Amino acid sequence: MLKRVLIANRGEIALRVLRACRELGIETVAAYSQADAEALPVQLATQSVCIGPARAADSYLNENALLSAALATGCDSLHPGYGFLSENADFADACRENGITFIGPSGDSIRRAGSKSAARELMRVAGVPVTPGSDGPVNSVEDALAAAERVGYPVLLKASAGGGGRGIRRCDSADTLPDAYAAARAEAKACFGNDEMYLEKLVLEPRHIEFQILADRQGHVIHLGDRDCSIQRRNQKLIEEAPARCLTPALRAKMGDAAVRAAQAVHYEGAGTVEFLLDADGTHFYFMEMNTRIQVEHGITELVTGVDLVRQQLRIASGLPLDMGQEDVTLTGHAIECRINAEDPAADFRPCPGRVEFLHFPGGPGVRVDSALYNGCTLLPYYDSLAAKVMVHAPTRLEAIRRMRRCLEEFALEGFPTNAELSYEVLFHPAFVRGSCTTAFLDRSLPELLDFSRLQNGRLRMECR
């Protein structure tokens, strides 16, 4: 096994990795910015090292600082978490060139999957369904207009190096495409340092279904079932559940097989996610992208499979083969995750970081909360607004919904606004209870959901409907 891991991230994912390492007897070094000096992972790690000022570009995105920290503290490996440099192929290569095991896929695999336009072609060759779109990147407005005319409107302009809903614009006509192309390129350049774009046909009213995969160095690839991530705003996920209620056993098997083929096509190693769009009829699915890292929502897969995904990452990075086969993977019960973000839904989801004046997390059977917050700490304005991930597991989907409602009634965070009330309202919406929500649900239903919250004067309802 690995001996000492540099955790090149912060917040709840840094804490999640730290805990998995401690249970395996692996020493941890927490890399932190000056602003994160009092962060919980910094306090709990075997050792901590400051890597720069608060600004992410000067700390968590500073490749030289992270590599120097790993070498100076005698780390034999580095876990990138999610976000920041987790899908940076050059950084993965630099780690290995300096004798540090990058806990994730190779730089070549990241490049194959990371360029969304190139990945589409790989998937097509591998027999994985892809949406109609451009043949490779669109390097000009004229290229984009020609591709859109060929596949038909509406279309999506998407950043080849994108993720997290950034660098995406919808176009319903040729008149709107030039401005959308310019805006998407500018956002992609600012977020990813790469403004390459591609275009694809917009699948109307789809469900967003993703499959968790594991792959070892020996060439074994398995999937650990699916997650439904359709409750999202502006391509940012809010509520996820596993497994997806809309999948039949036959369709689940077919999509799982496609996810495995996708991982094999990029010669994958480690934990990753293959994301699909399922059409409104629930019969046709299309490859959307592959995330070459641990996902924010990995916890609900752990709850329904009993598999510790970070532990598996550490085992694979140590050169060990998978300790399970596809036939060993079973999905038990149902799990739901609500992302609690420091943002104000009534003010166009404006980020609202601040000091935690009082904090109480829910508990009880089948409840898990991943968070690095504690009473008196500050959720900083320099990074992501994620405050906590509340997860529940129960024998049935309806029981899981009821358990999550109870958890959000118990959840208390004073000091800044969160989206907890909005998530609570979603859990009562008939469309969610029926399991019929598509990716358009939240944007369409937001005024209605916010009205319910306002009627309660900012307080969560304590009765059950």
Side-chain angles (χ1 to χ4, degrees):
M1 288 296 291
L2 306 173
K3 300 298 182 183
R4 183 178 296 170
V5 175
L6 183 85
I7 302 175
N9 215 296
R10 62 178 303 280
E12 65 87 15
I13 189 58
L15 191 58
R16 172 74 183 87
V17 173
L18 185 151
R19 287 168 170 160
C21 288
R22 289 188 65 174
E23 291 177 9
L24 289 171
I26 300 172
E27 295 182 356
T28 54
V29 178
Y32 67 95
S33 71
Q34 292 172 356
D36 269 330
E38 301 299 321
L40 198 54
V42 176
Q43 299 180 49
L44 295 179
T46 310
Q47 185 178 350
S48 299
V49 57
C50 184
I51 51 170
R55 201 167 71 104
D58 299 324
S59 51
Y60 299 107
L61 290 172
N62 187 329
E63 298 179 32
N64 290 333
L66 289 165
L67 288 171
S68 296
L71 293 170
T73 55
C75 290
D76 58 6
S77 52
L78 179 149
H79 197 301
Y82 54 70
F84 294 133
L85 294 172
S86 62
E87 296 183 280
N88 186 302
D90 292 340
F91 183 60
D93 288 341
C95 286
R96 292 191 166 104
E97 289 166 3
N98 283 274
I100 298 168
T101 298
F102 183 80
I103 302 174
S106 68
D108 286 342
S109 292
I110 294 174
R111 288 185 187 92
R112 291 189 188 100
S115 171
K116 305 300 190 290
S117 57
R120 280 171 52 86
E121 179 60 19
L122 272 177
M123 296 306 120
R124 188 188 63 79
V125 173
V128 180
V130 298
T131 53
S134 60
D135 297 323
V138 287
N139 297 314
S140 67
V141 170
E142 290 72 26
D143 286 347
L145 286 167
E149 183 67 25
R150 177 169 52 83
V151 303
Y153 292 94
V155 298
L156 284 178
L157 287 162
K158 303 178 76 172
S160 290
R166 304 299 182 119
I168 299 177
R169 292 295 186 277
R170 171 177 174 164
C171 297
D172 293 301
S173 69
D175 293 339
T176 62
L177 192 144
D179 287 346
Y181 181 81
R185 283 191 66 182
E187 186 175 51
K189 183 68 174 179
C191 293
F192 313 115
N194 182 340
D195 62 0
E196 182 180 273
M197 306 297 297
Y198 69 103
L199 180 145
E200 65 183 22
K201 176 73 175 175
L202 175 62
V203 180
L204 296 173
E205 297 287 334
R207 287 184 173 88
H208 183 147
I209 308 295
E210 59 187 29
F211 275 74
Q212 178 70 56
I213 59 101
L214 287 175
D216 62 23
R217 293 180 185 172
Q218 289 74 24
H220 306 125
V221 184
I222 63 172
H223 73 81
L224 283 81
D226 53 282
R227 301 183 288 253
D228 188 335
C229 305
S230 300
I231 306 295
Q232 52 185 257
R233 59 165 187 88
R234 300 173 190 164
N235 304 302
Q236 298 279 340
K237 300 167 187 172
L238 179 68
I239 299 175
E240 300 101 352
E241 52 184 311
R245 186 178 185 275
C246 58
L247 298 187
T248 64
L251 184 56
R252 177 170 288 111
K254 187 176 181 180
M255 294 179 74
D257 181 64
V260 169
R261 292 202 307 274
Q264 292 169 334
V266 300
H267 308 297
Y268 200 73
E269 173 190 324
T273 301
V274 181
E275 304 197 354
F276 298 104
L277 293 178
L278 180 67
D279 69 9
D281 293 333
T283 55
H284 297 93
F285 64 92
Y286 307 96
F287 171 81
M288 183 169 64
E289 63 183 16
M290 183 172 183
N291 291 303
T292 56
R293 53 173 168 78
I294 196 78
Q295 290 279 95
V296 176
E297 60 271 21
H298 73 274
I300 54 174
T301 292
E302 294 180 327
L303 290 174
V304 296
T305 62
V307 176
D308 184 328
L309 291 174
V310 178
R311 183 188 183 98
Q312 292 296 325
Q313 283 187 298
L314 296 168
R315 283 177 48 85
I316 292 167
S318 298
L320 298 173
L322 291 176
D323 55 2
M324 69 188 83
Q326 191 63 62
E327 67 279 1
D328 300 314
V329 178
T330 57
L331 307 182
T332 303
H334 199 89
I336 299 175
E337 173 182 289
C338 287
R339 299 191 191 187
I340 309 301
N341 298 321
E343 58 189 16
D344 185 355
D348 197 29
F349 293 90
R350 175 176 56 87
C352 301
R355 186 176 186 274
V356 177
E357 302 295 341
F358 176 78
L359 180 65
H360 173 74
F361 289 139
V367 177
R368 168 177 163 180
V369 180
D370 283 11
S371 176
L373 296 185
Y374 58 88
N375 279 298
C377 77
T378 298
L379 195 149
L380 298 165
Y382 313 107
Y383 315 111
D384 189 87
S385 63
L386 181 65
K389 302 185 308 189
V390 179
M391 291 167 273
V392 299
H393 182 240
T396 68
R397 184 173 183 269
L398 183 56
E399 290 174 281
I401 290 173
R402 288 171 172 165
R403 181 161 286 167
M404 182 61 83
R405 290 172 182 170
R406 189 264 298 170
C407 284
L408 293 185
E409 289 168 0
E410 290 184 18
F411 181 86
L413 198 166
E414 296 180 4
F416 47 81
T418 73
N419 61 357
E421 292 183 27
L422 176 61
S423 295
Y424 186 74
E425 295 297 344
V426 171
L427 294 171
F428 284 97
H429 197 284
F432 181 81
V433 175
R434 288 195 302 266
S436 60
C437 293
T438 70
T439 55
F441 163 77
L442 192 55
D443 287 337
R444 180 187 298 126
S445 304
L446 189 58
E448 170 192 357
L449 294 166
L450 292 178
D451 282 343
F452 275 124
S453 293
R454 280 192 287 269
L455 285 172
Q456 299 306 315
N457 297 317
R459 296 176 60 85
L460 290 177
R461 285 191 304 273
M462 300 301 292
E463 80 276 13
C464 291
R465 296 179 189 165

